[in-house]
Amino acid sequence: MKTVNAYIPLYFSQVRLNFSKNEQQKPIEKNIPKWKTRKATITKPSIDARTRYLTKILGKQLTEGGCLKKLQDLCSHLKNHPQAKGVAVKSGGIRHILKILEQTSSANVECEAREALALLGYTQPVKAHGIRLLTIDGGGVRGLVALEVLKKLEEEAGQPIHELFDYICGVSTGAILTVLVGVHKMPLNECEKLYKNLSTQIFTQTTIKGATSLFMRNSYYDSDSWTQILKENMGETNIIETSRKSDTPKICLVATRANTNRIQPYLFRNYNLPYRVTSHYQGTSLPCLWEAVRASAAAPGYFSEFAIGDMILLDGGLLVNNPTAIALHETKQLWPDAELQCVLSVGTGRHEPIATTSEASIGWATRIRTILNSATDTEGVHTTMHDLLPGSMYFRFNPYLSDEIALDEIDEDRLAMMMEDTSLYLRKNEPKIQEAVQALTRGKSPLDHAKDWYQYQRQVWPSF
C-alpha cells in the first residue's frame, strides 16, 4: 500500500499538466493601443459644430422627407445635449423652423417643428389678450372636488378647459388632472369615472397588508401597482413631446426633490425656457408623463419615493400644495411682456373645525397630523395672491367640506357628502364663477394682433 507521501509527486505533476492545458486554451492577448480601447468622449467643439450644421441646413431647400429627418435629428441632438440650445438659437434655429412651420403642408413636419421649437425655448404668443393660468392643488381622492369645479367652469364658458388656459400647473392629484385634462383632453365626465375607478383600485386594501407593506417598503399601498396604473393611464410619451399639438397648453407638474442638502420643488415641464432665461426652480422636460406624475404624487407613507437618475423625488405637496406662486413665476419667464388676464386657482376642499386642546392631551399622532396639515396648507398662498392681484384677475375656488376627508377615502357615503358640499359651494358662488368665465373669455384686440405680428416678423426676419 502506498503512503500519502507517495502520492504527492503524482499530485503536483497532475497540477502542472492541468496548468499547461489551461495556458494552451487561454487566448493570446494582443498589445492593443490605448487609443483604440479608450471610450470616445464627445467634446464641446464637436457638439457645437453638429448643432450649427443641424440648424443651418434647415434654412436650405429640403424635401418634406428631408426636412422631417433633419428636424428629428435636431430634436434628438437637443435632448442628448441640452446645453446646445444656445448655439442652435444663435445659428438661427428658431427662424428657420418658423419658416418651415409656415410653409409646410405635412402634419408630421408640423409636429416635429413644434417639438423642436419647444426644445429651443420658443414660446408662441398667448391665445387671448393676456396670460390665462390654471393651478390645481394636491389632495388625493379629493381631486374629485377640483373636477367638479372645472366641470362648472367648462359648462359656463362653453369651451373645454385646455382651450381656456395658456398654462396649467398641478401638484400630486392636481398633476394627474393636469395630464388628463391638459394633455389627453379627456372629457371631464370620463375623467371623473376614471378617477373613481383608480381610487377604488389602488386604495382598497386590508389594514394588515397595508401595515406590512409600510414596514417593509415604506409605503402603505402597493407602489408597483400604482406605477403600472400610471403607465397605462398617463402614457409613456416624453413630456416635451406633448408640445407637438398646437392646442396643448403649457403644463407643469410639481414634485419635491429630497436628496439634496435641503428639500426643494422640482418641476416637470412640457417646454424649455427661452435662451438666457432661467427659472428659480430646477426642472426637466425629458421624462415620460407617467414618471412625472408618479414623482409628483409620491405621498410619503402612502407610496414609496420615486427615483429618476440620481434624483429621489417625493410628493410635491410636501412643500407646495398650492402651486399658484410657482406657476406665476414660470409664466412670467415664458411671456415676460404679456399681461396677466386671469389666474384661476382650484383647491380640493378644506375642513377647518375650531378646536383647541390642552398641551398635555396632545398625542404624537395628533402632533404629526398637525405638522403635516400645516406643511400642506394651501390658504397661505391664496392670501398672498389675493393681496397682490386684482379681484377681477385672481379667482380661488376651494369648497368648504362639512367633515375631514382623508387622501385615500373610498367610502361611498362620505364621498357623496363631499360632492354634495361641493355642489352647494358652487351654487353659492355662481356670480364669482361667471365673473371668472368673463375674464377667461376675453379675446385679443386689434392692437394685440398687431403686436403679435410684429414680434413674429422680428423672429423670422431679424433685420425687420
Side-chain angles (χ1 to χ4, degrees):
M1 183 180 293
K2 296 182 180 179
T3 62
V4 175
N5 291 337
Y7 287 98
I8 292 178
L10 182 61
Y11 169 77
F12 279 108
S13 63
Q14 185 65 36
V15 169
R16 283 193 297 270
L17 180 60
N18 292 337
F19 183 77
S20 62
K21 287 181 180 180
N22 292 336
E23 284 294 313
Q24 292 174 1
Q25 294 172 0
K26 187 176 180 180
I28 300 173
E29 294 183 0
K30 297 181 180 179
N31 293 326
I32 303 174
K34 289 184 178 180
W35 65 269
K36 285 189 175 182
T37 59
R38 189 182 299 125
K39 291 184 179 179
T41 56
I42 304 176
T43 62
K44 186 178 183 302
S46 64
I47 293 173
D48 292 348
R50 174 70 173 165
T51 306
R52 282 189 287 269
Y53 166 75
L54 289 173
T55 51
K56 289 183 177 179
I57 200 172
L58 291 173
K60 304 193 180 291
Q61 293 293 330
L62 298 170
T63 63
E64 292 284 1
C67 187
L68 178 62
K69 179 64 169 63
K70 293 305 178 185
L71 283 169
Q72 290 172 340
D73 290 344
L74 178 60
C75 288
S76 177
H77 180 72
L78 291 172
K79 289 176 182 178
N80 292 328
H81 308 286
Q83 71 276 16
K85 179 176 74 173
V87 176
V89 172
K90 291 178 184 177
S91 302
I94 292 177
R95 180 172 70 254
H96 298 324
I97 297 171
L98 285 175
K99 288 182 180 179
I100 290 171
L101 201 55
E102 188 179 74
Q103 298 167 1
T104 186
S105 58
S106 168
N108 291 332
V109 172
E110 285 184 16
C111 290
E112 207 68 41
R114 291 193 188 97
E115 183 181 349
L117 287 172
L119 286 164
L120 291 176
Y122 173 76
T123 304
Q124 290 184 332
V126 292
K127 297 177 181 179
H129 169 70
I131 302 169
R132 299 172 300 172
L133 168 63
L134 170 65
T135 63
I136 309 174
D137 293 0
V141 74
R142 297 201 308 270
L144 291 168
V145 172
L147 264 175
E148 199 69 16
V149 175
L150 294 178
K151 285 166 65 177
K152 183 65 176 178
L153 285 167
E154 195 172 272
E155 178 186 336
E156 293 292 330
Q159 297 180 51
I161 292 297
H162 71 270
E163 292 182 3
L164 287 171
F165 295 95
D166 303 289
Y167 191 98
I168 304 177
C169 179
V171 56
S172 193
T173 192
I176 297 174
L177 295 180
T178 296
V179 173
L180 292 178
V181 174
V183 176
H184 298 316
K185 306 173 184 66
M186 183 180 290
L188 295 182
N189 286 331
E190 293 183 20
C191 247
E192 183 178 357
K193 292 178 184 177
L194 175 63
Y195 213 86
K196 288 180 178 178
N197 289 338
L198 295 184
S199 299
T200 303
Q201 188 176 348
I202 197 66
F203 291 139
T204 301
Q205 184 169 261
T206 63
T207 304
I208 295 176
K209 184 178 179 181
T212 303
S213 179
L214 183 62
F215 177 76
M216 299 293 293
R217 304 182 183 88
N218 296 324
S219 62
Y220 189 84
Y221 296 104
D222 189 341
S223 296
D224 293 336
S225 296
W226 177 231
T227 298
Q228 188 58 38
I229 287 172
L230 292 178
K231 283 184 180 181
E232 293 171 0
N233 293 280
M234 299 297 110
E236 301 191 43
T237 304
N238 285 9
I239 304 175
I240 194 69
E241 291 178 7
T242 64
S243 61
R244 289 167 170 256
K245 296 182 179 180
S246 59
D247 61 345
T248 299
K250 305 291 185 188
I251 67 164
C252 173
L253 314 181
V254 184
T256 299
R257 186 171 181 181
N259 61 330
T260 53
N261 55 352
R262 61 184 180 88
I263 61 174
Q264 53 191 327
Y266 192 84
L267 311 185
F268 294 92
R269 311 175 175 105
N270 73 338
Y271 58 89
N272 282 347
L273 293 172
Y275 176 54
R276 288 183 174 173
V277 173
T278 57
S279 171
H280 178 70
Y281 304 99
Q282 293 183 348
T284 181
S285 61
L286 299 180
C288 299
L289 281 169
W290 74 265
E291 291 178 306
V293 174
R294 175 67 176 85
S296 181
Y302 292 88
F303 302 109
S304 61
E305 68 276 3
F306 188 67
I308 297 180
D310 61 349
M311 296 186 298
I312 303 298
L313 299 159
L314 297 171
D315 194 297
L318 288 176
L319 283 180
V320 188
N321 211 29
N322 178 346
T324 307
I326 286 180
L328 271 174
H329 174 77
E330 290 286 299
T331 54
K332 294 310 291 182
Q333 310 309 309
L334 290 170
W335 298 285
D337 299 323
E339 298 178 10
L340 284 173
Q341 177 171 326
C342 182
V343 178
L344 201 149
S345 173
V346 178
T348 56
R350 56 177 173 146
H351 173 66
E352 297 180 354
I354 301 175
T356 58
T357 56
S358 62
E359 185 177 351
S361 64
I362 299 178
W364 280 107
T366 304
R367 293 176 191 270
I368 292 172
R369 186 165 56 251
T370 301
I371 292 171
L372 287 175
N373 288 340
S374 300
T376 58
D377 177 60
T378 60
E379 297 309 297
V381 175
H382 161 59
T383 301
T384 303
M385 296 296 106
H386 181 269
D387 292 342
L388 292 176
L389 301 175
S392 59
M393 179 189 299
Y394 173 72
F395 302 90
R396 168 78 169 167
F397 297 102
N398 193 22
Y400 290 94
L401 304 180
S402 54
D403 198 1
E404 186 173 356
I405 303 295
L407 302 182
D408 55 351
E409 183 63 71
I410 56 172
D411 182 83
E412 291 186 5
D413 292 336
R414 290 180 60 77
L415 292 178
M417 176 197 68
M418 178 182 75
M419 301 311 292
E420 186 177 342
D421 290 339
T422 303
S423 297
L424 177 61
Y425 173 89
L426 292 175
R427 288 196 297 272
K428 287 183 177 180
N429 286 272
E430 186 85 28
K432 184 179 175 182
I433 292 171
Q434 292 177 355
E435 188 180 354
V437 169
Q438 187 176 358
L440 282 171
T441 52
R442 178 186 174 189
K444 283 183 180 289
S445 67
L447 180 59
D448 294 327
H449 286 292
K451 288 180 179 178
D452 292 345
W453 178 84
Y454 177 71
Q455 290 295 333
Y456 176 80
Q457 296 301 323
R458 285 194 64 184
Q459 287 280 0
V460 177
W461 309 102
S463 59
F464 183 81

